[in-house]
Amino acid sequence: MTEFRDKVVYQIYPKSFKDSNKDGFGDLQGVIEKLDYLQELGIDYIWITPVFPSPQKDNGYDVADYCAIDPRFGTMADMEELIRESGRRGIGLMLDMVFNHTSTAHEWFQRAMAGEKEYQDYYIFKEGAPDRAPTNWQSKFGGSAWEYVPQLGKWYLHLFDVTQADLNWENPRVREALKKVILFWKKKGIRGFRFDVVNLISKPEIYEDDHEGDGRRFYSDGPHIHEYLKELTRDTGIEELVTVGEMSSTRLEACARYSNPQERELSMCFHFHHLKVDYRDGDKWALMEPDRRALKKLFEQWQTGMQSQGGWSALFWCNHDQPRIVSRFGDEGRYWKESAKMLAASIHLMRGTPYIYQGEELGMTNAHYSRVEQYRDVESLNYYMILLGQGKTKEEALAILAARSRDNSRTPMQWSSETYGGFSEKEPWIAVPDSYQKINAAAQRYDDSSIFSFYKKLIALRREKAVISQGSIAFLAPDNADVLAYRRQWEGEELVVLNNLTAEETTVTAEPAWTAYRKILGNYEDIAAGAERQERPAGQADKVTGSRPDRMGERMAEGRIVLRPYETVVLEK
Ligand code: GLC
């Protein structure tokens, strides 16, 4: 089924979404409280990051029990209520399945440590001398990917934190156990699944040193990955739900296959190439201005490549692992609103299913922490030490964290200008950025010119115009690296989307036919501005209609259009 193509997913990081029981830590009842807000925004699915029992070494991505709820988040009854209440509002709930690894606190790992052979086989244990790891592979959070267990005389593999032990998917018992987890949640009425780093589950037959990199080329899109995904989908019937795989260091051909409906693996893929254009030499911890030419090229390559190979992409700028996009590729100052809206339109109108990460619809910015004590993320804290070890000063290391830390997106959701941004009445587990006074939901919800209202319009537009969800894509303006422009076409319908990625005015070559096109959305002179602003009943999306005369014709002179700073313009044939 491909009916997820006209849907929009909203990602919730529950720990930072809304605290209902005043412990400074977000929870499921908090999510339930805010469902009306989400219904008003108009989204179809909520993807909620892990709420399972967990030591929280990696904020829940270290799962100790896949079929229960961590008391910090609430109870199973709360989860059932959330499923029910979302369903009542036409919203499906998607759970986050972390199947590449479990927490070392998981019963399986505990039994392995206690010497049970059967459970050692659930993980990747290798014999070896205590002073020499089986390979030189590096953990994604820094340091060796292997940990020695003296009482067993063996090493175990952990591609992430030392408390996240990789599962052995070659063992059919592991695969069966994980299928049971899916069936358990499916029965409860879960409408979809996000699979964490799922393209890392198939490890190579031979474990060898990587002399070219950190080992990832041996296990990313590994040898049996397509087989495993097909089997999982076939045996759990998740094809009728929506599924998305998070693909780490992946290849286009692999992603096209994971998400081609004929392959019966997954609905769609997250791939990250466009979010590395500000990594110097591919190094996340080496700062660089975003390379817009590369960004444009990558979008073109992935969008047209996925299209020609029948794949489907998840469209996103933000998630709980990425800094805030407006701070990263936009402007937090003078053009805060314009750039946030331009970034929204540029991603939502490509070919794929858009994902909005909590607070993105408000233009939330980076945390701007200035002390290492303010950080919580294991990756940030590890890299802070690594950077100091490399000879960086504290100031330099803090400047890198301020730009790159995953905590930038994990700060509490800014609901209002009240204490702690209306997230909680108690001091939250992670500090609220100062920006909450200005940037918050209460200030934007009923303002038709707000970033929130712009997201609402984008979602409504997707419902109204099949060309957005079904159409083909072709890229325009190849000569201007500052402009991300594309054309969508479907059964005679056509949209042209022009995005100025910079704070300077820029010009694009216009096709003569465009003079007759209608501007249906923009971030300057928004069409609904000045026009009727009606309070609509919750759940009913804004209808986007051209209520203002379009001015594009006037702006097109000698075959060129001047785009204002961070301007986005959507033209319809
Ligand atoms: C994914 C998650 C990230 C987590 C990692 C390990 O990348 O998005 O938050 O740390 O997997 O589970």
Side-chain angles (χ1 to χ4, degrees):
M1 70 139 217
T2 52
E3 64 174 59
F4 49 82
R5 294 195 171 190
D6 62 354
K7 304 289 189 274
V8 177
V9 185
Y10 187 91
Q11 183 192 350
I12 291 183
Y13 199 68
K15 200 169 174 174
S16 302
F17 192 63
K18 178 73 177 108
D19 173 20
S20 77
N21 65 347
K22 307 186 177 95
D23 62 356
F25 196 94
D27 45 52
L28 292 176
Q29 281 299 334
V31 177
I32 295 170
E33 249 177 63
K34 296 296 180 185
L35 284 173
D36 289 340
Y37 168 86
L38 297 177
Q39 184 179 21
E40 186 186 328
L41 183 57
I43 53 109
D44 303 283
Y45 289 99
I46 292 170
W47 147 33
I48 188 165
T49 63
V51 287
F52 313 110
S54 157
Q56 299 283 326
K57 292 277 191 245
D58 185 21
N59 279 350
Y61 283 91
D62 45 328
V63 179
D65 179 353
Y66 294 102
C67 296
I69 301 297
D70 193 309
R72 264 175 279 218
F73 290 111
T75 62
M76 189 56 88
D78 293 328
M79 176 52 94
E80 285 160 358
E81 187 182 338
L82 175 59
I83 296 171
R84 229 176 18 248
E85 288 299 315
S86 317
R88 246 176 19 93
R89 292 167 176 83
I91 298 173
L93 196 64
M94 296 167 69
L95 288 188
D96 207 324
M97 296 285 112
V98 188
F99 282 177
N100 176 68
H101 44 263
T102 73
S103 163
T104 50
H106 195 288
E107 188 196 338
W108 301 337
F109 193 83
Q110 290 297 311
R111 295 178 75 162
M113 292 295 259
E116 286 187 50
K117 280 289 295 154
E118 183 186 336
Y119 286 97
Q120 285 174 10
D121 225 23
Y122 270 47
Y123 297 90
I124 299 170
F125 278 97
K126 298 279 173 205
E127 309 273 348
D131 55 349
R132 203 190 172 285
T135 68
N136 65 354
W137 299 359
Q138 294 294 297
S139 149
K140 304 210 182 241
F141 292 161
S144 171
W146 295 95
E147 181 72 7
Y148 187 67
V149 185
Q151 79 258 31
L152 299 177
K154 288 176 183 168
W155 297 80
Y156 71 86
L157 180 69
H158 62 90
L159 295 181
F160 294 89
D161 187 55
V162 58
T163 65
Q164 292 167 300
D166 280 55
L167 283 165
N168 174 18
W169 273 70
E170 273 187 47
N171 180 351
R173 286 184 193 213
V174 168
R175 305 204 296 275
E176 289 313 314
L178 298 175
K179 286 176 205 167
K180 282 203 188 121
V181 173
I182 298 283
L183 293 173
F184 173 86
W185 286 112
K186 217 180 135 195
K187 220 167 131 195
K188 290 213 178 280
I190 289 299
R191 300 293 305 143
F193 295 98
R194 178 246 189 200
F195 292 101
D196 190 61
V197 291
V198 75
N199 70 323
L200 308 185
I201 58 176
S202 173
K203 308 298 193 283
E205 245 135 71
I206 298 164
Y207 284 74
E208 53 185 316
D209 279 348
D210 188 352
H211 301 295
E212 289 169 28
D214 62 3
R216 67 182 68 196
R217 67 198 172 99
F218 295 127
Y219 56 72
S220 309
D221 303 320
H224 301 292
I225 180 68
H226 295 288
E227 253 168 72
Y228 294 158
L229 289 176
K230 284 184 168 67
E231 180 185 315
L232 183 74
T233 298
R234 186 194 63 215
D235 294 354
T236 57
I238 49 175
E239 218 180 353
E240 63 201 58
L241 311 181
V242 53
T243 57
V244 55
E246 185 202 26
M247 306 303 174
S248 168
S249 301
T250 188
R251 290 170 307 109
L252 203 167
E253 293 66 34
C255 279
R257 222 176 133 192
Y258 298 137
S259 59
N260 185 323
Q262 286 172 359
E263 298 283 337
R264 316 186 82 158
E265 295 180 11
L266 298 169
S267 311
M268 62 188 113
C269 302
F270 284 116
H271 39 80
F272 292 87
H273 296 66
H274 63 295
L275 292 177
K276 296 187 177 168
V277 298
D278 53 359
Y279 291 7
R280 185 152 37 82
D281 303 321
D283 178 359
K284 169 169 173 174
W285 306 98
L287 301 185
M288 187 180 87
E289 281 300 305
D291 178 346
R292 295 196 188 88
R293 196 173 290 277
L295 181 72
K296 197 173 145 130
K297 229 171 103 190
L298 282 164
F299 274 135
E300 173 157 13
Q301 193 187 338
W302 277 82
Q303 284 275 305
T304 56
M306 288 292 268
Q307 167 168 272
S308 64
Q309 295 176 47
W312 194 252
S313 297
L315 303 170
F316 70 106
W317 287 121
C318 300
N319 67 25
H320 63 291
D321 296 328
Q322 299 290 331
R324 293 287 181 176
I325 200 60
V326 70
S327 307
R328 194 173 175 186
F329 293 171
D331 178 352
E332 290 186 358
R334 181 165 173 204
Y335 297 114
W336 166 66
K337 229 184 199 185
E338 288 80 7
S339 63
K341 291 180 183 179
M342 180 279 294
L343 289 163
S346 64
I347 199 93
H348 275 239
L349 299 174
M350 281 197 247
R351 182 180 171 279
T353 299
Y355 285 65
I356 301 168
Y357 177 69
Q358 64 183 48
E360 179 186 339
E361 76 280 15
L362 305 173
M364 271 177 63
T365 58
N366 277 351
H368 297 293
Y369 293 153
S370 53
R371 290 173 297 118
V372 70
E373 296 74 33
Q374 292 173 296
Y375 289 94
R376 297 287 176 268
D377 180 23
V378 53
E379 184 197 49
S380 300
L381 298 172
N382 285 354
Y383 270 95
Y384 181 70
M385 295 314 292
I386 292 172
L387 291 166
L388 293 184
Q390 287 169 356
K392 297 256 183 321
T393 65
K394 281 187 178 169
E395 289 68 33
E396 286 167 337
L398 283 171
I400 295 175
L401 289 199
R404 294 295 149 86
S405 172
R406 305 194 297 179
D407 283 337
N408 281 312
S409 56
R410 299 176 179 186
T411 61
M413 176 75 174
Q414 295 169 195
W415 291 107
S416 70
S417 58
E418 285 158 46
T419 326
Y420 304 129
F423 162 74
S424 175
E425 286 170 33
K426 196 186 157 239
E427 186 176 0
W429 68 279
I430 189 169
V432 181
D434 298 337
S435 62
Y436 77 94
Q437 307 265 8
K438 172 184 162 207
I439 305 176
N440 62 66
Q444 294 192 31
R445 203 157 159 190
Y446 303 108
D447 168 5
D448 207 44
S449 73
S450 68
I451 299 169
F452 177 82
S453 294
F454 191 83
Y455 271 86
K456 240 172 105 169
K457 284 173 199 157
L458 275 171
I459 297 170
L461 200 60
R462 165 169 297 264
R463 286 211 214 307
E464 228 179 273
K465 303 201 180 293
V467 62
I468 299 174
S469 53
Q470 311 299 327
S472 64
I473 190 162
F475 283 76
L476 304 167
D479 47 327
N480 189 341
D482 294 338
V483 173
L484 178 66
Y486 47 86
R487 186 198 319 274
R488 306 292 314 276
Q489 282 177 302
W490 190 70
E491 297 192 344
E493 289 178 32
E494 181 180 330
L495 292 185
V496 170
V497 184
L498 307 174
N499 302 292
N500 179 359
L501 301 172
T502 74
E504 312 296 327
E505 254 187 28
T506 187
T507 349
V508 274
T509 312
E511 294 175 14
W514 294 357
T515 43
Y517 285 23
R518 216 163 53 99
K519 173 179 162 186
I520 58 163
L521 190 68
N523 56 349
Y524 283 81
E525 291 172 28
D526 282 337
I527 49 167
E532 48 17 307
R533 189 179 89 61
Q534 301 164 353
E535 228 91 301
R536 279 164 214 83
Q540 213 171 297
D542 242 346
K543 209 169 155 52
V544 182
T545 43
S547 50
R548 269 173 85 100
D550 87 76
R551 305 241 169 82
M552 279 333 275
E554 286 168 29
R555 286 176 57 188
M556 261 180 245
E558 291 164 19
R560 306 182 75 73
I561 299 181
V562 177
L563 292 176
R564 288 167 281 199
Y566 295 109
E567 183 166 11
T568 182
V569 176
V570 184
L571 301 178
E572 184 179 41
K573 185 175 156 185

